[in-house]
């Protein structure tokens, strides 16, 4: 199974979108139509890469837009960029999400005692290669961090591309601790402080900031997959999310999105144009006392 992307609009502007196509060239939703599993028997998952490592643009699956393309987050009418909080430059992993998952904002997690953040579950892809925006890769899960973001549960799965040269040596979170000393500590530190330059408080974490192991992470992912299955079967509970899709709906389902309707969504956007420049302020380094 393969997927491709089609860029629309001008990069680094409000018009920019990344749409997805299946192997037949038909437009699909990366949120709903890309299968969660690349290999269910081996617990290998698909990951949609939203943000390549070392970059700052806060790109994300547009859960409330038709076809759920990737677009840049907006704050107060301006494109959002993640600040460089010393000593980090942009995102320190390839960052993205697992499709067909959903952190239910109505479900209070028994471990974190907080509800979900209304998004697909996030993934930090470690390893040797910097990915490109929009890639769909196959990952094996190593562990998970339970971040509490403004009172919401926001799981951060740690995973690695199955094709990465380091993948054979990394099979659980303890392997990351052993072979990449300081990396998990940096991950917690990054997530704790990345919103502070925007005037937000430091983020908190469940489990005393400890990473849970592979089995716990897989269990968590599967629970968010169950929440997603409930989401697309109950129109009244969608909470403003765009749940229409082309592959998983049965005939007569109100979330059924015809291929013609999907194409019309893309045709209604601007053709891909030249990228605008990124503001110089994005390269600023922020310092503050921990």
């Amino acid at each position: 199974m393969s997927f491709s992307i089609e860029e629309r609009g001008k990069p680094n502007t409000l018009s920019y979108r990344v749409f997805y196509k299946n192997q037949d060239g038909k437009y699909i939703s990366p949120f709903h139509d890309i299968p969660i599993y690349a290999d269910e028997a081996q617990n290998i998952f698909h990951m949609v890469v939203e943000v390549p490592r070392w970059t700052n643009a806060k790109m994300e699956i547009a859960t409330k837009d038709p076809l759920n393309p990737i677009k840049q987050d907006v704050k107060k009418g301006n494109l959002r960029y993640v600040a460089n909080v010393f000593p980090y430059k942009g995102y320190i992993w390839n960052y993205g999400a697992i499709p067909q998952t959903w952190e239910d904002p109505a479900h209070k997690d028994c471990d974190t005692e907080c509800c979900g953040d209304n998004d697909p579950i996030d993934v930090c892809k470690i390893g040797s290669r910097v990915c490109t925006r929009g890639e769909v890769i196959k990952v094996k899960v190593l562990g998970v961090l339970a971040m509490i973001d403004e009172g919401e549960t926001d799981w951060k799965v740690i995973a690695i591309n199955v094709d990465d040269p380091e993948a054979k040596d990394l099979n659980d979170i303890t392997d990351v601790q052993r072979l990449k000393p300081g990396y998990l500590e940096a991950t917690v530190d990054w997530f704790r402080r990345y919103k502070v330059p925007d005037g937000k408080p430091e983020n908190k974490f469940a489990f005393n900031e400890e990473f849970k192991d592979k089995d716990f992470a897989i269990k968590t992912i599967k629970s968010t997959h169950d929440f997603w299955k409930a989401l697309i079967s109950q129109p009244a509970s969608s909470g403003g999310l765009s749940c229409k899709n082309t592959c998983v709906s049965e005939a007569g389902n109100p979330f059924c999105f015809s291929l013609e309707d999907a194409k019309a969504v893309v045709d209604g956007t601007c053709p891909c144009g030249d990228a605008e420049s990124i503001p110089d302020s994005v390269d600023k380094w922020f310092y503050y006392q921990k």
Side-chain angles (χ1 to χ4, degrees), residues 7 23 28 43 172 178 180 200 225 228 232 238 265 275:
E7 295 176 292
Q23 57 192 5
I28 61 170
N43 282 316
D172 210 327
R178 177 172 55 88
K180 293 181 177 292
K200 298 288 185 67
H225 182 51
W228 170 82
I232 62 165
S238 61
V265 169

Side-chain angles (χ1 to χ4, degrees), residues 13-264:
T13 73
L14 293 170
S15 69
Y16 181 69
R17 300 287 187 275
V18 178
F19 289 96
Y20 281 77
K21 295 179 179 179
N22 62 16
Q23 57 192 5
D24 298 321
K26 305 298 184 182
Y27 293 110
I28 61 170
S29 160
F31 186 7
H32 304 299
D33 293 327
I34 295 176
I36 178 176
Y37 292 108
D39 184 339
E40 185 172 0
Q42 299 297 319
N43 282 316
I44 303 300
F45 299 90
H46 282 123
M47 172 188 174
V48 175
V49 177
E50 299 164 318
V51 186
R53 191 169 69 214
W54 310 137
T55 63
N56 298 75
K58 194 176 189 308
M59 311 298 297
E60 58 189 15
I61 293 172
T63 57
K64 297 183 178 181
D65 291 3
L67 279 184
N68 313 116
I70 289 178
K71 70 176 184 180
Q72 191 164 350
D73 191 23
V74 176
K75 181 179 180 182
K76 296 181 179 179
N78 297 314
L79 295 176
R80 187 175 170 195
Y81 294 89
V82 166
N84 304 305
V85 181
F86 183 82
Y88 310 114
K89 170 66 176 77
Y91 288 72
I92 62 173
W93 350 254
N94 298 287
Y95 191 72
I98 296 178
Q100 296 186 346
T101 63
W102 180 55
E103 298 186 58
D104 186 353
H107 173 77
K108 187 175 183 178
D109 186 88
C110 61
D111 291 313
T112 67
E113 298 186 346
C114 294
C115 295
D117 70 349
N118 204 32
D119 284 326
I121 197 167
D122 296 321
V123 185
C124 303
K125 199 282 289 183
I126 67 175
S128 57
R129 186 172 69 86
V130 177
C131 296
T132 58
R133 180 186 300 155
E135 270 192 87
V136 179
I137 60 176
K138 300 174 182 179
V139 298
K140 66 175 179 178
V141 170
L142 306 173
V144 68
L145 176 69
M147 189 176 86
I148 309 300
D149 185 353
E150 299 182 29
E152 297 176 331
T153 302
D154 191 1
W155 296 104
K156 306 298 182 184
V157 173
I158 307 301
I160 189 166
N161 192 331
V162 295
D163 296 326
D164 194 289
E166 299 178 348
K168 65 182 185 301
D169 299 318
L170 297 172
N171 296 293
D172 210 327
I173 202 67
T174 54
D175 295 323
V176 183
Q177 294 167 331
R178 177 172 55 88
L179 297 174
K180 293 181 177 292
Y183 196 59
L184 296 180
E185 292 82 355
T187 294
V188 173
D189 190 46
W190 193 98
F191 279 120
R192 177 189 292 115
R193 303 195 291 146
Y194 82 102
K195 288 187 177 181
V196 172
D198 295 330
K200 298 288 185 67
E202 292 184 348
N203 284 316
K204 307 296 183 182
F205 305 87
F207 309 114
N208 295 317
E209 303 182 358
E210 295 179 356
F211 288 80
K212 305 301 286 184
D213 65 13
K214 174 180 181 177
D215 290 341
F216 187 101
I218 291 173
K219 178 182 176 182
T220 301
I221 294 167
K222 290 182 177 181
S223 71
T224 63
H225 182 51
D226 289 337
F227 292 139
W228 170 82
K229 286 190 286 188
L231 171 70
I232 62 165
S233 65
Q234 300 177 23
S237 304
S238 61
L241 301 182
S242 178
C243 295
K244 286 197 171 186
N245 53 84
T246 63
C247 297
V248 297
S249 293
E250 297 176 357
N253 188 304
F255 289 147
C256 188
F257 211 175
S258 72
L259 297 177
E260 293 75 17
D261 289 341
K263 184 176 185 301

